Amino acid sequence: MLSALSPLDGRYESKINELKNFFSEEALIKYRVIVEIKYFLKLCDTLPQLNNVSSSDKEGIKAIMSEFSTEDAEVIKETEKTTNHDVKAVEYFIKDRFRELGLQENVEFIHFGLTSQDVNNTAFPLMIKGALEEVIMPALGAVAEKLHDLSEEWKGVPILARTHGQPASPTTMGKEILVFIERLDEQIHQMEEINIKAKFGGATGNLNAHKVSFPDIDWRAFANEFVEEDLSLSRSQYTTQIAHYDQLAALFDALSRINTILIDLARDFWTYISMDYFKQKVVEGEVGSSAMPHKVNPIDFENAEGNFGVSNAVFRHLSGKLPISRLQRDLTDSTVLRNVGVPFGHTLIAYKSLLKGLNKVVINQSKMKEDLEANWAVVSEAIQNILRREGYEKPYEALKALTRGNNQITKESIANFISELKVENNIKEEMLAITPQNYVGYY
């Protein structure tokens, strides 16, 4: 769509299509209908005034949500032009469908005792939960699975480490990938522990209208059962007119931390590509540069990093804004929450770009070996600590004098240094066996 204001609905539309089922305007309307219908059906099991609703009637009522269409959403949007209230338009739509089913005497129990936020603050959590379970977590899982494969494939591949950008004790590429796997696993576990909660309690959270209308019914138990059993969410017990959003804020912060870890990963892979530790598979037809035909740019990692950045900016605004509301409610949460699909969209694009990049990298072991061979000074740490073990006097200083500022440290100069040490021959042999390629610790 060349006229789209957002790249999510333009350039990147094909990459985030599956999220439209959860975060589009049509999806929001549909989820509101689902909440209203399920609530009415719950009332049918509770109120004697609804005993006349038969099993076949209930099937017809369920079809209002199960067969909900784009045309239905358009009808509701047209009604909204008159009501200037989105949830009221949904209520009127359902009432019209009830009349078509011959249930006109029951229409006033649609939206009974509710405020619009009872619908919104259950619809949005349902949308977010669905998007997480069906789209976001599978996409993140694909990235994690690829990282597991790469960590196993590169388990024994030694590389020269870089701390502060300088040559440091060698490691393996497989272990470096495991660092990210462990970080992701921990954050995913923490995120999965977050209860996605819903607000369902009437105009100011106290179920006032319910209690005054039917004082003998335990409406708190009703609300808990409805939210937990019918909607598979968790109900906040004490709220104002709106949800306090603390759990959603925690979820957005958790996703932001996961994205930050993957930004770190994308930058490392970008750097390894720039160091020639990774080559990239050439994709037929792709152009790396408009001016330099030889280039294969790391655009997938760059694209991922950029989209993670946009996503995190919005996630952090949502988590910082939503839990704050003046007294029993102001409207700022409503306009902000309508953007909830934006960070999920950019996150999904980033996951897909990152996975594409990971699938294109090919390890360049010859360059890694070359760098290791050019940096024999890194074994000085190993020699120093063996000398410490043997009680050698000032081993650190001895190695420092040999290596610091000396650009000519080679296998031979290390061997010469060892040969002049006043230690037993078997200790010298132990130190001579150490190379930049095998001094990698546990991997």
Side-chain angles (χ1 to χ4, degrees):
M1 294 174 62
L2 296 178
S3 61
L5 290 180
S6 164
L8 293 180
D9 295 315
R11 182 180 183 87
Y12 297 138
E13 183 183 18
S14 63
K15 298 180 184 296
I16 52 91
N17 263 329
E18 55 265 57
L19 285 176
K20 291 182 179 180
N21 292 328
F22 303 100
F23 295 123
S24 64
E25 183 74 3
E26 179 180 335
L28 174 56
I29 294 170
K30 180 178 180 178
Y31 273 92
R32 285 168 170 159
V33 170
I34 290 171
V35 171
E36 293 276 16
I37 294 296
K38 288 190 173 184
Y39 172 59
F40 179 85
L41 292 171
K42 185 72 173 176
L43 288 176
C44 288
D45 298 332
T46 307
L47 300 180
Q49 287 81 354
L50 296 174
N51 285 342
N52 65 324
V53 180
S54 67
S55 296
S56 61
D57 289 334
K58 290 178 182 178
E59 290 306 309
I61 292 168
K62 290 176 183 176
I64 297 173
M65 61 179 180
S66 64
E67 298 175 10
F68 190 83
S69 66
T70 301
E71 289 72 24
D72 292 332
E74 289 171 347
V75 169
I76 292 171
K77 289 301 290 184
E78 189 63 29
T79 303
E80 189 184 335
K81 292 178 182 177
T82 302
T83 63
N84 198 30
H85 195 290
D86 44 13
V87 176
K88 203 67 180 176
V90 169
E91 179 187 341
Y92 287 165
F93 167 82
I94 297 173
K95 285 181 175 180
D96 287 342
R97 292 295 180 269
F98 268 48
R99 293 185 184 98
E100 292 172 7
L101 293 170
L103 296 169
Q104 53 272 7
E105 63 184 286
N106 304 118
V107 296
E108 292 310 323
F109 282 99
I110 297 165
H111 201 72
F112 169 75
L114 301 185
T115 184
S116 60
Q117 287 308 107
D118 294 313
V119 179
N120 287 331
N121 288 160
T122 46
F124 273 107
L126 282 172
M127 292 158 59
I128 291 167
K129 183 181 180 184
L132 276 173
E133 292 176 351
E134 296 185 34
V135 181
I136 296 299
M137 294 311 295
L140 176 58
V143 172
E145 183 179 355
K146 181 63 181 180
L147 291 176
H148 277 282
D149 292 344
L150 293 178
S151 71
E152 190 61 31
E153 180 183 344
W154 299 337
K155 183 177 180 179
V157 178
I159 63 169
L160 181 69
R162 302 269 176 176
T163 59
H164 309 279
Q166 307 303 308
S169 300
T171 181
T172 69
M173 188 58 76
K175 173 261 169 179
E176 295 308 306
I177 304 301
L178 285 172
V179 172
F180 291 101
I181 291 172
E182 181 175 77
R183 294 172 68 188
L184 285 174
D185 286 348
E186 178 65 25
Q187 294 306 317
I188 291 171
H189 174 71
Q190 289 186 27
M191 183 179 70
E192 289 173 342
E193 293 295 307
I194 298 169
N195 247 340
I196 299 182
K197 291 205 165 190
K199 178 265 175 182
F200 197 84
T204 55
N206 299 357
L207 293 161
N208 305 44
H210 292 79
K211 187 174 186 293
V212 76
S213 302
F214 296 94
D216 294 332
I217 295 175
D218 186 345
W219 287 106
R220 286 176 295 190
F222 171 95
N224 287 339
E225 190 175 288
F226 170 63
V227 171
E228 292 168 15
E229 295 183 10
D230 294 76
L231 301 181
S232 299
L233 298 170
S234 179
R235 178 175 173 263
S236 296
Q237 299 300 302
Y238 302 101
T239 70
T240 60
Q241 186 176 94
I242 62 173
H244 47 65
Y245 297 115
D246 295 336
Q247 283 71 33
L248 284 187
L251 175 65
F252 299 153
D253 285 339
L255 285 164
S256 181
R257 288 195 301 273
I258 289 169
N259 290 352
T260 296
I261 291 168
L262 293 175
I263 289 173
D264 198 19
L265 174 78
R267 289 179 179 177
D268 274 10
F269 269 70
W270 187 98
T271 304
Y272 286 133
I273 290 169
S274 75
M275 294 163 58
D276 207 24
Y277 279 16
F278 292 144
K279 299 286 189 182
Q280 294 182 96
K281 297 174 186 174
V282 177
V283 178
E284 179 114 15
E286 281 193 1
V287 175
S289 166
S290 62
M292 294 168 279
H294 67 283
K295 293 183 73 179
V296 183
N297 294 331
I299 56 173
D300 300 306
F301 297 105
E302 293 168 343
N303 183 280
E305 180 182 342
N307 277 285
F308 280 135
V310 174
S311 176
N312 281 3
V314 182
F315 271 141
R316 286 166 182 158
H317 178 64
L318 289 170
S319 68
K321 162 67 206 92
L322 288 175
I324 300 170
S325 183
R326 296 169 182 85
L327 301 180
Q328 281 67 52
R329 154 345 97 108
D330 67 42
L331 200 64
T332 53
D333 67 302
S334 178
T335 189
V336 171
L337 195 55
R338 283 181 175 274
N339 291 281
V340 71
V342 174
F344 282 96
H346 285 284
T347 291
L348 182 60
I349 293 167
Y351 289 164
K352 290 182 176 181
S353 294
L354 189 58
L355 182 61
K356 184 179 179 182
L358 292 173
N359 281 323
K360 284 166 64 174
V361 293
V362 179
I363 201 161
N364 183 10
Q365 290 193 54
S366 62
K367 175 60 178 176
M368 296 174 177
K369 290 177 182 177
E370 178 185 320
D371 274 6
L372 286 166
E373 194 61 32
N375 285 277
W376 269 82
V378 296
V379 303
S380 62
E381 180 194 39
I383 296 169
Q384 172 209 157
N385 280 284
I386 291 175
L387 292 176
R388 286 177 185 272
R389 182 193 72 195
E390 297 301 315
Y392 196 90
E393 185 178 357
K394 296 184 177 180
Y396 175 85
E397 287 73 16
L399 270 298
K400 179 181 176 183
L402 170 69
T403 60
R404 197 168 177 111
N406 186 345
N407 295 323
Q408 301 300 317
I409 301 299
T410 63
K411 180 179 180 179
E412 289 72 25
S413 60
I414 289 288
N416 290 336
F417 173 81
I418 292 172
S419 69
E420 295 174 2
L421 292 171
K422 296 178 180 179
V423 294
E424 299 295 327
N425 285 336
N426 63 317
I427 304 300
K428 291 181 180 181
E429 290 171 6
E430 181 184 358
M431 291 187 286
L432 286 169
I434 301 167
T435 70
Q437 289 78 20
N438 64 23
Y439 181 51
V440 292
Y442 294 104
Y443 61 89

